[in-house]
Amino acid sequence: MLMTKSRKLKKNLAKLAGAIALDEKWRAESREKILASVRRTPFWREAPGSKPRPTWLDGFRYWVWEGRLLRPALAVFLVFAVFAGSSLWALTAAKASLPGDVLYPVKINVEKAQVNLLLSEEKKIALEMNFAGKRLDEINQILSQNQEDKESPEDKEVQIKAALEHFSKTLAATQKRIEKLESAAIAANDKVAASKIVNEKTSILEQNLLDIKDKIAAVGNDIGLPAGSVPSGSVKPDQTGGAAASLTNIDKALDKVDQANSKSLAVLVEGASQSQSDELKQVAVDKLQEKIKKIERNIETIAVRTDLIIAGAETEPAAAAGKSAAKPRGASETSTLPALLGDDKKTAPTAASSPFVFAKVIIEEVGEKPAEAKKTIEEAKKLLSGSTESLNEVLAKIQESKAIVHEVNETIKGAEAAGEIEELKSGQATTTPENIENNID
Amino acid sequence: MTAKFNDQILVGRSLEGDEEAFGQLYDKYVGPIYRFILIRVSNIDEAKDLTSEVFLKCWQYLANSDKKIDDFRSLIFRIARNLVIDFYRAKKDYLLSLDEQDWDKFADESDSLYESVAQKDERAQTRNALEKIGAENRDLILLRYFDDLSVKEIAALLNKSRGAVRVAIHRARRELKAVLEDIYADDEEPKT
């Protein structure tokens, strides 16, 4: 009630103010008198003179030219500059960050934003490839860091794993883009240009990954990667724990690189085949030739590996057998290789079986494969030398040959993982090419 | 563009000799200044003279001052207030005129002939409440609710900080509330 009265009083005051009206006659007279008095002042007489009504130009001059707006604008600019400066500092710091650092997620998200901001798929692909390369640079940095700088020995392994995960994600994203390009109704030269970038960049990435792999395999345990259990795969027996885990992760990343590379080659060949341009076709021919050379190198490698196994199986020293018997193997262990080979006729070796039996089984399975792969790749070369009209057929032959090489590698890798090849090696000491050469001689 | 910015442009143009610009400032502020003075001097003729004087003083200030005029509204009210103080200094008394007839006279300037009895009662109550509070608090209440000046403008006028003015207005309102309590308590007392 009292509040209402108080409010009413304030209202009444306002009402009273409104009720007081001006005497219009006096107002007009007073105005004239005042302006006349103003005109009589010396200041007025010295003034530039009567001016027209203010225009927008006057407003501009008053606010902008004379700096009245510029001052607050400058203040706003300075605030913005401080804000932008600190953001820039954070971005610069993020740019130099490594996996595990607080700012690393910022770096990754900024990179993603950079890719998303681009309109051209070709540029997106190029940028993604660039960022994938940066992940590998990060791994090299991690490996070159002093162990004393790290808080725990697990750090490096975790960091490498994180970098490889982002690397694989980036490659997967690129591969999706390439797949979309394959079905997109765009010009053949665009398809070829985009897939060429991926093809070339993945080749470089593959080489860099192999270099990192070599580095870890050589000195992994000495550079701070922690000891632990030995995972399976292409890991050397002297690699343990963090080094071994990192090598396994690198193998997975290499698979991703290979997939992206193969896909890009397929899209490139498809694009070139659709095109009438000799230039595009020549690009495809060059890339297919590169791939053929790479497959040939791989064939040579598997040939050496199978030769090693063959040479080992042809020599059967008693000592090796004795060593094997000294370490009994359970049924579950021994069944690994036949299961891998999927051949019921090849009886699973028993606990008393010699490791040479394993070698012979492997030889039966893959012994002829290098020659088969070589023959297929020769056919591809022949087709490619004939004309540029059968690019797809060449690609099919290359893929066939590659599949053979892959099969051999998987078989040997599986046998190594199960320990069969290892035992053979340890019994015979025939693991090096030099020894193989000696045995053949 | 805000009223404050418009005033600044008009002041700028006035100083460059644009007569019409100063005329526009006059048109805008003559009413509020007249009311400000009239409620304090309670004499229409005095109020008219003082209002004219405010504008002349204002012009002199603009012409002679090197300072940039950020807030013309605060400036002109400050000049008006100083003139009212000078007016009462001459009379050795600075009091709000609370004569009932004066207040009715102000309103008579408008359409008060058609005013209701209730409206006249309301005005009487307002005058009665203001009469009972201290001069300083009354001045603040008038500045805030009669002259409709913001806390910022009152602070500029009284040369005080905004915080101090806010606190002072709060105290003035509290005093007014207490006065109103007394007034209504008296009204409600049963007559013996």
Side-chain angles (χ1 to χ4, degrees):
Chain A
M1 177 70 181
L2 192 67
M3 284 305 291
T4 315
K5 289 284 176 192
S6 176
R7 209 173 293 129
K8 205 168 181 183
L9 187 135
K10 291 173 197 168
K11 216 171 159 186
N12 286 341
L13 279 172
K15 208 191 279 180
L16 179 66
I20 297 172
L22 268 179
D23 176 352
E24 276 304 311
K25 192 179 165 198
W26 167 81
R27 196 194 64 77
E29 285 173 2
S30 170
R31 190 183 200 266
E32 276 311 304
K33 279 180 194 169
I34 288 165
L35 292 181
S37 301
V38 165
R39 279 194 293 271
R40 282 196 295 273
T41 58
F43 183 85
W44 184 274
R45 288 198 294 268
E46 288 165 16
S50 181
K51 299 284 187 302
R53 279 173 170 273
T55 61
W56 67 268
L57 197 63
D58 297 322
F60 175 80
R61 187 180 56 181
Y62 185 80
W63 288 108
V64 181
W65 189 252
E66 293 175 12
R68 283 171 181 83
L69 258 186
L70 285 180
R71 273 192 290 273
L74 186 67
V76 170
F77 172 76
L78 285 174
V79 169
F80 176 77
V82 169
F83 176 76
S86 58
S87 303
L88 199 68
W89 173 85
L91 284 177
T92 312
K95 211 174 173 184
S97 63
L98 291 174
D101 291 348
V102 180
L103 288 171
Y104 191 71
V106 176
K107 178 183 185 175
I108 296 296
N109 284 322
V110 167
E111 287 179 357
K112 279 182 191 168
Q114 277 180 271
V115 172
N116 290 332
L117 281 172
L118 293 172
L119 294 175
S120 152
E121 282 294 309
E122 191 182 324
K123 284 180 182 169
K124 281 184 182 187
I125 285 169
L127 199 57
E128 277 176 342
M129 290 288 95
N130 185 21
F131 291 147
K134 281 187 179 179
R135 299 293 86 81
L136 300 190
D137 291 344
E138 286 164 9
I139 295 175
N140 277 321
Q141 277 185 57
I142 293 163
L143 290 174
S144 61
Q145 275 177 342
N146 289 329
Q147 181 56 26
E148 290 74 34
D149 298 339
K150 312 304 292 179
E151 287 178 3
S152 76
E154 281 77 25
D155 278 0
K156 279 192 178 181
E157 182 201 337
V158 173
Q159 281 182 299
I160 291 170
K161 193 180 173 192
L164 286 173
E165 273 171 10
H166 287 297
F167 174 85
S168 297
K169 276 183 190 171
T170 307
L171 279 177
T174 307
Q175 197 174 332
K176 271 189 184 173
R177 289 189 202 286
I178 287 287
E179 282 164 6
K180 260 202 271 178
L181 278 181
E182 189 179 20
S183 54
I186 58 167
N189 54 344
D190 289 341
K191 277 186 192 178
V192 171
S195 50
K196 186 170 171 249
I197 293 170
V198 180
N199 194 266
E200 286 172 355
K201 294 281 182 183
T202 45
S203 297
I204 296 167
L205 291 173
E206 185 186 28
Q207 191 51 53
N208 291 346
L209 262 175
L210 288 170
D211 290 346
I212 289 170
K213 191 178 173 182
D214 285 348
K215 198 186 276 182
I216 294 176
V219 290
N221 288 338
D222 300 333
I223 56 172
L225 289 168
S229 60
V230 182
S232 61
S234 62
V235 179
K236 291 181 181 177
D238 54 338
Q239 290 300 327
T240 57
S246 294
L247 289 174
T248 307
N249 289 330
I250 287 172
D251 282 342
K252 286 178 189 168
L254 277 167
D255 281 346
K256 288 276 178 195
V257 172
D258 186 54
Q259 284 170 25
N261 184 276
S262 299
K263 190 71 211 172
S264 66
L265 185 64
V267 176
L268 193 147
V269 168
E270 181 67 25
S273 302
Q274 288 168 357
S275 166
Q276 299 299 317
S277 159
D278 289 340
E279 196 183 340
L280 291 187
K281 285 187 193 298
Q282 190 54 48
V283 171
V285 168
D286 292 346
K287 292 297 161 195
L288 285 168
Q289 277 173 345
E290 280 175 24
K291 193 72 176 176
I292 287 170
K293 278 180 190 166
K294 191 181 160 192
I295 303 272
E296 281 179 328
R297 282 198 296 273
N298 290 343
I299 292 170
E300 278 174 31
T301 307
I302 58 162
V304 171
R305 292 183 88 181
T306 46
D307 282 352
L308 279 168
I309 297 165
I310 292 164
E314 282 170 355
T315 318
E316 194 174 352
K323 266 195 174 184
S324 172
K327 189 187 174 192
R329 297 152 56 112
S332 62
E333 262 184 284
T334 53
S335 63
T336 310
L337 184 59
L340 180 78
L341 298 173
D343 190 348
D344 293 340
K345 288 175 186 174
K346 295 176 181 73
T347 315
T350 62
S353 298
S354 160
F356 300 102
V357 175
F358 291 102
K360 281 174 182 169
V361 170
I362 293 164
I363 291 159
E364 275 180 35
E365 185 64 24
V366 298
E368 300 301 317
K369 294 288 181 186
E372 198 182 325
K374 197 167 172 58
K375 189 184 163 204
T376 313
I377 208 74
E378 287 299 330
E379 285 169 5
K381 281 165 81 174
K382 200 176 169 187
L383 278 170
L384 194 59
S385 63
S387 75
T388 56
E389 297 306 313
S390 48
L391 293 176
N392 281 316
E393 286 171 57
V394 175
L395 182 67
K397 290 282 177 194
I398 287 173
Q399 284 168 343
E400 192 184 332
S401 181
K402 191 185 159 199
I404 296 168
V405 172
H406 183 73
E407 188 190 337
V408 173
N409 272 329
E410 285 301 302
T411 306
I412 295 173
K413 204 195 276 182
E416 280 176 347
E420 284 87 2
I421 305 289
E422 282 302 319
E423 286 195 19
L424 181 68
K425 282 178 193 172
S426 59
Q428 291 247 284
T430 54
T431 54
T432 63
E434 291 77 20
N435 284 341
I436 287 290
E437 292 294 319
N438 292 338
N439 287 338
I440 291 166
D441 291 342
Chain B
M1 209 178 279
T2 67
K4 195 172 164 182
F5 292 164
N6 258 329
D7 287 354
Q8 285 182 332
I9 288 183
L10 290 172
V11 167
R13 297 301 307 157
S14 301
L15 292 173
E16 288 179 357
D18 185 353
E19 183 182 318
E20 188 53 36
F22 195 70
Q24 283 180 34
L25 285 170
Y26 174 87
D27 293 341
K28 187 175 177 182
Y29 288 105
V30 67
I33 293 297
Y34 173 72
R35 283 192 290 272
F36 178 91
I37 295 170
L38 182 64
I39 198 76
R40 286 164 176 84
V41 301
S42 300
N43 183 304
I44 291 171
D45 291 334
E46 294 280 8
K48 285 177 179 174
D49 287 348
L50 285 173
T51 302
S52 300
E53 201 176 337
V54 167
F55 283 93
L56 287 172
K57 290 245 178 214
C58 187
W59 170 253
Q60 281 167 4
Y61 181 85
L62 293 178
N64 298 320
S65 174
D66 293 332
K67 288 182 187 170
K68 182 177 154 279
I69 308 302
D70 283 329
D71 191 349
F72 182 78
R73 184 175 156 88
S74 292
L75 171 75
I76 200 163
F77 271 97
R78 197 160 58 239
I79 292 170
R81 189 170 188 273
N82 289 340
L83 278 176
V84 170
I85 290 169
D86 291 345
F87 174 80
Y88 278 104
R89 267 189 197 140
K91 288 188 165 188
K92 298 195 175 176
D93 185 17
Y94 175 40
L95 286 170
L96 176 73
S97 169
L98 294 168
D99 187 276
E100 195 174 336
Q101 285 179 347
D102 279 345
W103 279 50
D104 287 341
K105 221 181 332 175
F106 304 157
D108 281 346
E109 292 282 312
S110 65
D111 298 330
S112 64
L113 284 174
Y114 303 101
E115 274 186 329
S116 66
V117 175
Q119 279 173 316
K120 284 189 176 178
D121 281 351
E122 274 178 4
R123 199 159 56 231
Q125 273 179 355
T126 306
R127 185 183 48 74
N128 193 18
L130 286 174
E131 191 180 31
K132 289 187 173 169
I133 62 173
E136 235 178 85
N137 285 347
R138 188 192 306 138
D139 195 29
L140 282 167
I141 293 287
L142 284 175
L143 287 169
R144 183 73 188 94
Y145 301 108
F146 179 83
D147 300 313
D148 197 28
L149 297 184
S150 68
V151 170
K152 191 182 169 189
E153 286 166 340
I154 297 169
L157 189 66
L158 305 180
N159 204 21
K160 287 182 178 173
S161 71
R162 268 189 252 181
V165 168
R166 206 170 282 121
V167 171
I169 289 174
H170 173 72
R171 284 180 186 150
R173 275 203 302 251
R174 210 165 51 189
E175 194 189 353
L176 185 68
K177 192 180 163 188
V179 165
L180 285 169
E181 269 173 359
D182 288 344
I183 289 171
Y184 290 110
D186 290 346
D187 287 350
E188 284 165 17
E189 263 180 27
K191 286 175 184 173
T192 51

